[in-house]
Amino acid sequence: MSDSFSQKSMLADLKVELDGLEEVGQLRFMRTVSGPQQAHTMLDGRPILLLCSNNYLGLANHPRLRIAGQKAVEQYGCSAGASRLISGTMRLHGELEEALAAFKKVPKVLVFNSGYVANLALLTTLVGAGDVIYSDSLNHASIVDGCRLSRAQLKIYRHCDIAHLEELLKGSAATFRRRLIVTDSVFSMDGDIAPLPEVAALARRYDAVVMVDDAHATGVLGAGGRGSAEHFGLDYNDLDLQMGTLGKALGSCGAYVAGAPQFIDYLINKARSFIYSTALPPAALGASLAAVELLSEEPGRVARLRSLTDYFRQGLRRLEIAVSDDPTPIVPVVVGDPQRTMALSAWFLEHGVFIQGIRPPTVAPGQSLLRVTISADLEYSDLDRVLALFAERRNEFKL
Ligand SMILES: *Cc1c(COP(=O)(O)O)cnc(C)c1O
């Protein structure tokens, strides 16, 4: 009886909080995509143009990935059955890790169930009490959570501010056992790129290790889509730990960590989110493996993504809508107020274009934005249509 009372009072509390979110335009809800993840799909039973997925290369519904996923299921079934260290390491895990190591040009790779848990694993395993983490102020939530759980001292440097990072390194380098600098390579909401050569140089000068999150760079940056290292001409000696997801441009799910063998062996032995979680299932592994092979054979997809992105950014600029010239498919259009942002998102949807609005706490207050993402399976004519819609509302929304 007392339980049901506490449930009632807790539900009442939660309702007050949810109502509060709704009042300030920050209540979140989900929209159901009823077709596959691809540029032209269905939402709530209506055809729409999908401009907010991270499926940058349009691989999520590619026949080659679908067939590879099906074959993996036929051959190996639906589950890994256990964590990798119990009975869950299957042939496909090894094959995918070898393919990713060759693709990333690193000695060794370990696959994780998602980018979120890969970041938790890296940050809680490799540093701890007595160590220090230097983290960019706009790093992804999974990095923020990993830093909090690590028990290392946390020093946050201003977004992409190398001088500030150096100041923090200078002030504290000698006092800690291990020093880790962590940054997104492509920032997930703004689409800008971290100054990695400068970060790597500072790391060497101050005896720190660099961890880079290539979630939005894998399949996107570099001529072959190999990520931020390829983009800047760096390697695994400069960027000690590179992680990336298989769930965005690579069209499947899961994540990888790439680096020197000792890092990987240590993670296998110590990373709790690796040790205590059922491994990725065959379908995801088969599809990921096909994506890596396809990307190696057809780097033209990466070039197409870049041309479409340039075309769209130029189109917005012609409308005098402020956009950066970053070569990434994440194109934020700042509206400011959360309610107005969601109203504009709803208007686009009425016109058959799905662009998600992003509000606090994901972005800073007053910085709510429409986050447009480009994917390689769009046509230039699709982008013309979207640009025409932006042209209709730009004055009224002061874009
Ligand atoms: C999406 C994302 C992740 C998490 O990857 P998942 O595989 O989706 O869990 C990690 N870091 C960044 C920067 C991301 O955008």
Side-chain angles (χ1 to χ4, degrees), residues 22-26 337-344 359 368:
E22 181 153 34
E23 252 164 54
V24 295
Q26 288 184 21
D337 173 72
Q339 266 121 339
R340 286 169 62 81
T341 303
M342 296 321 279
L344 189 54
R359 295 164 284 171
S368 291

Side-chain angles (χ1 to χ4, degrees), residues 54 56 112-119 138-143 183-189 213-216 243-248 252-256 330 371:
N54 301 319
Y56 301 119
F112 283 82
N113 291 359
S114 76
Y116 188 97
V117 301
N119 278 339
L138 291 190
N139 275 342
H140 189 258
S142 56
I143 295 179
T183 182
D184 285 13
S185 54
V186 174
F187 288 87
S188 51
M189 293 302 132
D213 181 334
D214 259 358
H216 297 279
M243 66 75 64
T245 175
L246 307 171
K248 290 172 182 167
S252 172
C253 83
Y256 65 84
I330 301 169
R371 178 180 179 270

